[in-house]
Amino acid sequence: MSVSSGGSRGPVKPRSHGGSNNSLEPKVAIVESYGDDQSYRYSFTYEKATLYEFKYEKAPYPASIDPCHRCNRRVPKHDMVDVGVLFHKQCFRCRICGLPLTIQNFQRNDANTADREIYCRTHVGKNVAQIKSGEVPPMGLEGPNTGPGKKYIFQYSGVQKPEMVSGSSKRALPSPIKSQGPQGMGSSPGGMDSLASVTPHAMNDTSAWTTHTSPDISMETNPSYNHYRPHYQQPGYQQHMKPGPHPTSVLKSYEDFENANVFDAQLLLEERHREEEERLLRFLLEEREKELRRLDDTVETEKEKAAEDLLSSIENLSINSVPRSLIDERERIEDHFKQVKEERLKTVTEKIAVEEKTRNGKMIDRHCHEMLTLIGEKDREVDRMCLFDHSMRPPAEPPEGKKTVLYKSPAVFEPLDLRAIDFANKDYDMFTHLVRDLTRNCKTELEKARILFRWVIAKDINKHTVNEIVRPHAMDRLLKGVKSGKETYHQLYKKLCSYAGLHCEIVLGYSKGAGYKPGMRMDGQAFRNSWTVVNIDGSWRLVNCTWGARHVTGHKDNLPQMYHKYDEFYFLTDPEDHIYQHYPDEPKWQLLEIPLPFSEFLNLPVVKSPFFNYGLRFYSNYGATLTTQTGMVEVRLLTPKILGFGSMLEPVNRLPSEPRQIEGRTLLRFVNNEAIFTIALPATGFYYFSIYTGDYWRSECLESACSFLVHCKNLTGAPSPPYPPVPFFGPTPVMETLGITADSHVDPLVVCNNDYIEINFRLSRDIRLTHTFQYFDVSDGAIMDIDRYVFLRSRNDKGANYLIRCPREGFFLFSLFAADLTGDSKSLDCAFRYLVICQEPSPTVAKFPKTYQKWHRCSLHEPLSGDLNTDKHVMFRMDVPQALEVFVVIEEVWHHLRRKVGCAWEGQVHTGSVSGTAKVIARFQGETKDQSLFSHILDYEVVEDQETEI
């Protein structure tokens, strides 16, 4: 894209809208230039009190491996953002204004599928010309001086592409924005005054063209984000360079702790902590008893007062004349105060429990700090120059690198996991002994964090051992707080981490957990939750022991059993994935470069851990609510392979008599690496749409992946008919296994409005193939076979060519089945399934000839119609390999076809005057000992009037 004016090759003079040169008005400068080598440079400058710049340079040719879509340079794995298109982290910005984007807020131009760029919310689908015309604000800021209709001062220039310039002037002219050093901005474009940019990005060589080595520091231009930013992301904070390597502890491995006598010192400190725990426990019990006695006294006093009032009303009456109603009143008073006591007891008990948890939590925090301080002292005993201080919590910053940088697969932890599970079946009375035994083989902080995590989620808190039943007071003392409800899994994990020398913090906030549906509000105590962050090698990582532990019901020996299963997603979760489910009260614990506002969190879809565990990603930035004016909605997921999928569409406001799920309204198809869900809503209103997934494409047990709220505001025309009851359309893993490739139609959704459509498959080797063709009747939901409207026109070792005709309007299903020639199985598996939609059937549509087994390596050129009219001369042309003779038999008359070049056979045949069957018969060589046998390969129907109905 080149911006030029009147053919001039030089910079365009500054131009203002409305003739205003007011320095307070926003100024926008856009520069584009091309080099002789086809390289491309883009600059976007926005000046309004401060100066913001976005620049990048695109190499002339993309790298051969993993090229960045923005700069064409190779993207290393640790710096990669993959949204179907690869970007460097620092290149993952709006194409127009350069606004740094995240996986959660980037936008795609869905109106143009060929547009592979990414945009901010303001500029999605827009171009530079629209910015210059004032149709949209340059930086997405709405206010008194911005927004549509505001007159900006535009200063832009550019040169034509080199191939458009002739002669010696073919070289690209230099950019009017001068190159500046890291000390300042230098001259602004078009003679603008020099202003220092106060954005964090500008503090790192603002004039440098963005490349794959640019600083990976994000910034956000929306002022409403500032409240959520840590200090190092606030405007005005200067970050001149990236921090150096984090100082680390000299005591990491088990051997380090053993040699420094850390465990011995921990035993002494733990004894003091235990004494304090016992004192606190006795104090809390005394406080609980006092509160309960106070409650009893209060209720009893109120009851006596009510009884006295009742007695005073009857003291002038004789005993014999006491009305029955007063006796009933006395009983009513007893029942009333019994109920009052129960209600107040519940309230007081909850209040006491909260106070006990609070006091116990503060004690645990202090104990963890003291334990880390002890380890810090041992650090300095070993190395007096040690810079790492265990008593000081590291600053809350985004982690350096993704989870995959630390480990590629949980299989690397298998020995540690098995050790943790084994020790979970043993009881300990001291944390020091437990942590010492667990970490005996640990060399790194990562291994420590892992084995402690697996021990916590493998420990069944509700399970009682034989010792606990025989000797109740011999219960595992370490889990006493958890079992009594005063302590959580997270506090237990934090305590274990402190003994292992790891910083761990408990984070409070909101979670989209059980019972939450997209579009719901979050306020008060609803959906409150907690989780942990643990510091590993200087980086904070997110861990959730509670959600990581899964209690799964299964069966063994025909008896129901409960067993444990852990969720790998909740160990060291990447912040950009974690934010879909959890929102901390303190924005810094989002661990994102740009913290997300709470409103944006609520607007994210509800995403569950299987979504990430199976490697799914959203094709575009979907909100929690999908709105449609036509009744059609599409959700596209990027998949690493063909997975098992299911979906559910249910109305939000349904009557009790209505079914929960709406059938036949969701169409799933696989196209390349995408799973595309198309939803045809039956009426206006609100719906919940949920997607389920499993690891195997035939999985019957699926897990919840994500869900949306769908708002259908309007329907275009009548509601679409329901889709066929088919799980999905597109390829199956059989395609890859047998080396089959869809050549003509990669998308399994095909529209047929012609005489026929042609579908081609490429084959890598000789395999067995067959097919089915069916019609779905939307009126009664029946599916019927109509094999005469599909024809295997040609088939060889390299490919197969099918012709399909649609005799009426509606849905048709074409399925390809395949199997290996060497396989023992006689059945063929589904390889590909097409949904053919016919909107306008041809009035002359006819059936195809009927094929037989020997036809599979032949090709038919004409006639393609399976119905032949009587008393006609018809030309037959076909390829029949290895045939010695080919005949067309009509009314017992054998018409010999002539052999042409190669395996081609042709001849003109009279169809006769009587309706019947025209058979094509061939004699092949080498098939049997007796080569005089003939094989039936095709059948035609000879009719007086063609039938076009099914």
Side-chain angles (χ1 to χ4, degrees), residues 360-385:
N360 193 66
K362 290 180 178 179
M363 181 187 66
I364 291 174
D365 290 343
R366 181 163 43 81
H367 286 180
C368 292
H369 179 74
E370 291 174 359
M371 191 60 65
L372 289 169
T373 302
L374 181 149
I375 299 174
E377 293 172 355
K378 293 296 182 180
D379 267 338
R380 287 183 287 277
E381 288 179 8
V382 175
D383 183 3
R384 296 181 59 86
M385 302 301 292

Short mmCIF file of all heavy atoms in Angstrom, two decimals, residues 360-385:
data_model
loop_
_atom_site.label_atom_id
_atom_site.label_comp_id
_atom_site.label_asym_id
_atom_site.label_seq_id
_atom_site.Cartn_x
_atom_site.Cartn_y
_atom_site.Cartn_z
N ASN A 360 -6.39 -17.80 61.42
CA ASN A 360 -5.51 -18.91 61.04
C ASN A 360 -4.70 -18.55 59.79
O ASN A 360 -3.52 -18.89 59.69
CB ASN A 360 -6.35 -20.16 60.78
CG ASN A 360 -5.51 -21.40 60.68
OD1 ASN A 360 -4.89 -21.84 61.66
ND2 ASN A 360 -5.48 -22.00 59.50
N GLY A 361 -5.35 -17.86 58.83
CA GLY A 361 -4.63 -17.46 57.62
C GLY A 361 -3.51 -16.49 57.90
O GLY A 361 -2.42 -16.58 57.32
N LYS A 362 -3.75 -15.52 58.80
CA LYS A 362 -2.69 -14.57 59.15
C LYS A 362 -1.53 -15.29 59.82
O LYS A 362 -0.36 -14.96 59.59
CB LYS A 362 -3.25 -13.49 60.07
CG LYS A 362 -4.21 -12.54 59.38
CD LYS A 362 -4.74 -11.48 60.33
CE LYS A 362 -5.68 -10.51 59.61
NZ LYS A 362 -6.21 -9.50 60.53
N MET A 363 -1.84 -16.27 60.65
CA MET A 363 -0.78 -17.03 61.31
C MET A 363 0.02 -17.83 60.28
O MET A 363 1.26 -17.88 60.34
CB MET A 363 -1.39 -17.98 62.35
CG MET A 363 -0.36 -18.80 63.11
SD MET A 363 -1.11 -20.04 64.17
CE MET A 363 -1.85 -21.12 62.95
N ILE A 364 -0.67 -18.44 59.30
CA ILE A 364 0.05 -19.20 58.27
C ILE A 364 0.95 -18.28 57.46
O ILE A 364 2.10 -18.64 57.15
CB ILE A 364 -0.97 -19.92 57.36
CG1 ILE A 364 -1.67 -21.04 58.13
CG2 ILE A 364 -0.29 -20.47 56.11
CD1 ILE A 364 -2.79 -21.71 57.35
N ASP A 365 0.47 -17.09 57.11
CA ASP A 365 1.30 -16.14 56.36
C ASP A 365 2.56 -15.79 57.14
O ASP A 365 3.66 -15.75 56.57
CB ASP A 365 0.50 -14.87 56.06
CG ASP A 365 -0.60 -15.10 55.04
OD1 ASP A 365 -0.55 -16.13 54.35
OD2 ASP A 365 -1.53 -14.27 54.95
N ARG A 366 2.39 -15.56 58.43
CA ARG A 366 3.56 -15.20 59.25
C ARG A 366 4.52 -16.38 59.38
O ARG A 366 5.74 -16.21 59.30
CB ARG A 366 3.10 -14.72 60.62
CG ARG A 366 4.22 -14.30 61.55
CD ARG A 366 3.70 -13.45 62.70
NE ARG A 366 2.46 -14.01 63.23
CZ ARG A 366 2.43 -15.04 64.10
NH1 ARG A 366 3.55 -15.61 64.48
NH2 ARG A 366 1.28 -15.47 64.57
N HIS A 367 3.98 -17.57 59.56
CA HIS A 367 4.84 -18.75 59.67
C HIS A 367 5.62 -18.99 58.37
O HIS A 367 6.80 -19.35 58.41
CB HIS A 367 4.00 -19.98 60.00
CG HIS A 367 3.51 -20.00 61.42
ND1 HIS A 367 2.73 -21.02 61.93
CD2 HIS A 367 3.71 -19.14 62.45
CE1 HIS A 367 2.46 -20.78 63.20
NE2 HIS A 367 3.03 -19.64 63.54
N CYS A 368 4.96 -18.81 57.23
CA CYS A 368 5.65 -18.99 55.94
C CYS A 368 6.76 -17.97 55.77
O CYS A 368 7.85 -18.30 55.29
CB CYS A 368 4.64 -18.88 54.79
SG CYS A 368 3.44 -20.24 54.72
N HIS A 369 6.49 -16.73 56.18
CA HIS A 369 7.51 -15.69 56.09
C HIS A 369 8.71 -16.02 56.98
O HIS A 369 9.87 -15.86 56.58
CB HIS A 369 6.92 -14.34 56.46
CG HIS A 369 7.92 -13.21 56.41
ND1 HIS A 369 8.38 -12.69 55.24
CD2 HIS A 369 8.55 -12.53 57.42
CE1 HIS A 369 9.26 -11.72 55.49
NE2 HIS A 369 9.36 -11.61 56.82
N GLU A 370 8.43 -16.50 58.20
CA GLU A 370 9.52 -16.85 59.11
C GLU A 370 10.33 -18.02 58.56
O GLU A 370 11.55 -18.06 58.71
CB GLU A 370 8.94 -17.19 60.48
CG GLU A 370 8.36 -15.99 61.21
CD GLU A 370 7.67 -16.40 62.51
OE1 GLU A 370 7.65 -17.61 62.83
OE2 GLU A 370 7.15 -15.50 63.20
N MET A 371 9.66 -18.97 57.93
CA MET A 371 10.39 -20.12 57.36
C MET A 371 11.27 -19.68 56.21
O MET A 371 12.43 -20.13 56.08
CB MET A 371 9.38 -21.17 56.89
CG MET A 371 10.00 -22.51 56.52
SD MET A 371 10.87 -23.29 57.89
CE MET A 371 9.51 -23.62 59.03
N LEU A 372 10.78 -18.79 55.36
CA LEU A 372 11.60 -18.29 54.24
C LEU A 372 12.75 -17.43 54.76
O LEU A 372 13.85 -17.44 54.20
CB LEU A 372 10.72 -17.49 53.27
CG LEU A 372 9.74 -18.32 52.43
CD1 LEU A 372 8.75 -17.41 51.71
CD2 LEU A 372 10.50 -19.16 51.41
N THR A 373 12.51 -16.67 55.84
CA THR A 373 13.58 -15.89 56.44
C THR A 373 14.68 -16.79 56.98
O THR A 373 15.87 -16.50 56.84
CB THR A 373 13.02 -15.00 57.57
OG1 THR A 373 12.01 -14.15 57.03
CG2 THR A 373 14.12 -14.15 58.19
N LEU A 374 14.30 -17.90 57.59
CA LEU A 374 15.30 -18.87 58.08
C LEU A 374 16.15 -19.38 56.93
O LEU A 374 17.38 -19.47 57.06
CB LEU A 374 14.57 -20.02 58.77
CG LEU A 374 15.42 -21.13 59.38
CD1 LEU A 374 14.72 -21.73 60.60
CD2 LEU A 374 15.66 -22.27 58.37
N ILE A 375 15.50 -19.74 55.82
CA ILE A 375 16.27 -20.24 54.68
C ILE A 375 17.17 -19.14 54.13
O ILE A 375 18.30 -19.41 53.70
CB ILE A 375 15.31 -20.77 53.59
CG1 ILE A 375 14.47 -21.92 54.15
CG2 ILE A 375 16.07 -21.22 52.36
CD1 ILE A 375 13.40 -22.42 53.20
N GLY A 376 16.71 -17.88 54.15
CA GLY A 376 17.55 -16.77 53.71
C GLY A 376 18.79 -16.62 54.57
O GLY A 376 19.88 -16.29 54.06
N GLU A 377 18.65 -16.83 55.86
CA GLU A 377 19.82 -16.77 56.74
C GLU A 377 20.81 -17.88 56.40
O GLU A 377 22.02 -17.66 56.43
CB GLU A 377 19.36 -16.88 58.19
CG GLU A 377 18.54 -15.68 58.67
CD GLU A 377 17.94 -15.91 60.04
OE1 GLU A 377 18.10 -17.04 60.56
OE2 GLU A 377 17.32 -14.97 60.59
N LYS A 378 20.28 -19.06 56.07
CA LYS A 378 21.17 -20.15 55.67
C LYS A 378 21.84 -19.84 54.34
O LYS A 378 22.99 -20.22 54.11
CB LYS A 378 20.36 -21.45 55.55
CG LYS A 378 19.82 -21.98 56.88
CD LYS A 378 20.97 -22.37 57.81
CE LYS A 378 20.44 -22.94 59.12
NZ LYS A 378 21.55 -23.32 60.04
N ASP A 379 21.13 -19.13 53.47
CA ASP A 379 21.74 -18.67 52.21
C ASP A 379 23.00 -17.86 52.49
O ASP A 379 24.07 -18.10 51.90
CB ASP A 379 20.74 -17.80 51.42
CG ASP A 379 19.93 -18.62 50.44
OD1 ASP A 379 20.39 -19.70 50.06
OD2 ASP A 379 18.84 -18.17 50.05
N ARG A 380 22.86 -16.88 53.38
CA ARG A 380 23.98 -15.97 53.65
C ARG A 380 25.10 -16.66 54.44
O ARG A 380 26.25 -16.23 54.37
CB ARG A 380 23.46 -14.74 54.39
CG ARG A 380 22.67 -13.81 53.48
CD ARG A 380 22.21 -12.55 54.18
NE ARG A 380 21.13 -12.83 55.11
CZ ARG A 380 19.85 -12.91 54.75
NH1 ARG A 380 19.53 -12.75 53.48
NH2 ARG A 380 18.91 -13.16 55.64
N GLU A 381 24.76 -17.71 55.18
CA GLU A 381 25.82 -18.47 55.84
C GLU A 381 26.68 -19.20 54.82
O GLU A 381 27.89 -19.32 54.99
CB GLU A 381 25.21 -19.49 56.81
CG GLU A 381 24.60 -18.87 58.06
CD GLU A 381 24.00 -19.92 58.97
OE1 GLU A 381 24.19 -21.13 58.69
OE2 GLU A 381 23.33 -19.55 59.95
N VAL A 382 26.04 -19.65 53.75
CA VAL A 382 26.78 -20.35 52.70
C VAL A 382 27.52 -19.36 51.82
O VAL A 382 28.68 -19.57 51.43
CB VAL A 382 25.82 -21.22 51.85
CG1 VAL A 382 26.56 -21.85 50.67
CG2 VAL A 382 25.19 -22.30 52.71
N ASP A 383 26.87 -18.24 51.48
CA ASP A 383 27.47 -17.24 50.60
C ASP A 383 27.07 -15.86 51.11
O ASP A 383 25.94 -15.43 50.94
CB ASP A 383 26.98 -17.45 49.16
CG ASP A 383 27.62 -16.49 48.17
OD1 ASP A 383 28.49 -15.69 48.60
OD2 ASP A 383 27.25 -16.53 46.98
N ARG A 384 28.04 -15.17 51.73
CA ARG A 384 27.74 -13.86 52.30
C ARG A 384 27.43 -12.83 51.23
O ARG A 384 26.84 -11.78 51.52
CB ARG A 384 28.93 -13.37 53.14
CG ARG A 384 29.23 -14.23 54.35
CD ARG A 384 30.40 -13.68 55.14
NE ARG A 384 30.14 -12.32 55.60
CZ ARG A 384 29.51 -12.03 56.74
NH1 ARG A 384 29.06 -13.01 57.51
NH2 ARG A 384 29.33 -10.77 57.10
N MET A 385 27.80 -13.09 49.98
CA MET A 385 27.55 -12.15 48.88
C MET A 385 26.24 -12.47 48.15
O MET A 385 25.95 -11.88 47.12
CB MET A 385 28.70 -12.19 47.87
CG MET A 385 30.07 -11.88 48.48
SD MET A 385 30.09 -10.24 49.23
CE MET A 385 29.94 -9.22 47.77
#
